[in-house]
Amino acid sequence: MIGITFDWSVFWHYLFPPDHLTRSALFLTLGISIVAQFFGVVFGLFSALMQRSKYRVLRFLAGVYVWFFRGTPVIVQIFFIYFGANLFLGYDLFPRTAHLLFISIDGAVVAGTVALAINEGAYMSEIFRAGIQSVGKGQLEAARSLGLSYLQAMGLVIVPHINPPVTAVPDTTTSTSLVMW
């Protein structure tokens, strides 16, 4: 057995107080995680509603989206979105530097955030779909009998009953270290 020693003084030196590089990496990780989680929830909600659509094409597209992005590793998705999209489209989808209002963000960070949001959306889609199916059919029927349209019933009655767990945040936070690397 190999004797490996861990130098705690180096660990504590970088943790308390963190230097500029560690602090900026921490804030970048938190920013990527928050943005990816927000858009992942939005994508997931729309995908879950598409899965419940009466149109077969929308159900098919949502099913393929969930199947593909839940079935491939997130690192492959990040590489594909950053490198592969440029090859398939013939132009840079994510430029070297993206200028958003008054800040400049590295294109790799934007591509990684988009990849994490799309991946998170696939997982959130299944969470929302299960949550929608867990609400009794009587709730939807009661809302419809009160004169609400299907979209109003979903938005005002069914979706507020869904409480998706926030267990996906640590996964997104862990994956953002791959984006920054």
Side-chain angles (χ1 to χ4, degrees):
M1 184 165 156
I2 300 173
I4 299 175
T5 60
F6 187 78
D7 191 1
W8 285 99
S9 63
V10 173
F11 175 76
W12 293 115
H13 170 72
Y14 284 107
L15 190 62
F16 298 111
D19 60 349
H20 175 70
L21 184 63
T22 306
R23 192 177 310 111
S24 64
L26 174 67
F27 288 130
L28 183 62
T29 300
L30 289 174
I32 290 171
S33 298
I34 290 168
V35 170
Q37 184 70 31
F38 173 77
F39 285 109
V41 168
V42 172
F43 293 159
L45 181 60
F46 283 122
S47 177
L49 293 176
M50 285 173 57
Q51 286 180 354
R52 297 207 18 110
S53 174
K54 63 182 177 181
Y55 299 109
R56 187 176 298 192
V57 175
L58 292 179
R59 286 195 314 259
F60 176 76
L61 289 174
V64 168
Y65 164 69
V66 170
W67 170 78
F68 180 77
F69 285 102
R70 286 187 69 201
T72 55
V74 71
I75 188 70
V76 173
Q77 295 169 16
I78 292 170
F79 282 151
F80 179 76
I81 287 176
Y82 185 64
F83 296 115
N86 298 341
L87 294 174
F88 287 120
L89 297 176
Y91 63 90
D92 270 343
L93 187 61
F94 299 102
R96 296 272 182 226
T97 303
H99 302 286
L100 301 171
L101 299 176
F102 56 90
I103 57 173
S104 296
I105 301 174
D106 187 22
V109 172
V110 175
T113 305
V114 168
L116 290 172
I118 291 171
N119 179 276
E120 189 65 33
Y123 283 96
M124 291 303 293
S125 175
E126 288 297 298
I127 292 171
F128 279 123
R129 183 194 55 77
I132 290 170
Q133 287 180 346
S134 71
V135 177
K137 291 182 180 181
Q139 296 282 336
L140 182 61
E141 291 172 1
R144 296 290 301 212
S145 68
L146 290 173
L148 297 177
S149 69
Y150 179 77
L151 289 177
Q152 288 175 327
M154 290 301 285
L156 297 173
V157 177
I158 304 298
V159 174
H161 286 299
I162 303 170
N163 287 326
V166 193
T167 58
V169 172
D171 179 49
T172 306
T173 307
T174 304
S175 301
T176 54
S177 62
L178 299 173
V179 172
M180 294 184 319
W181 180 68

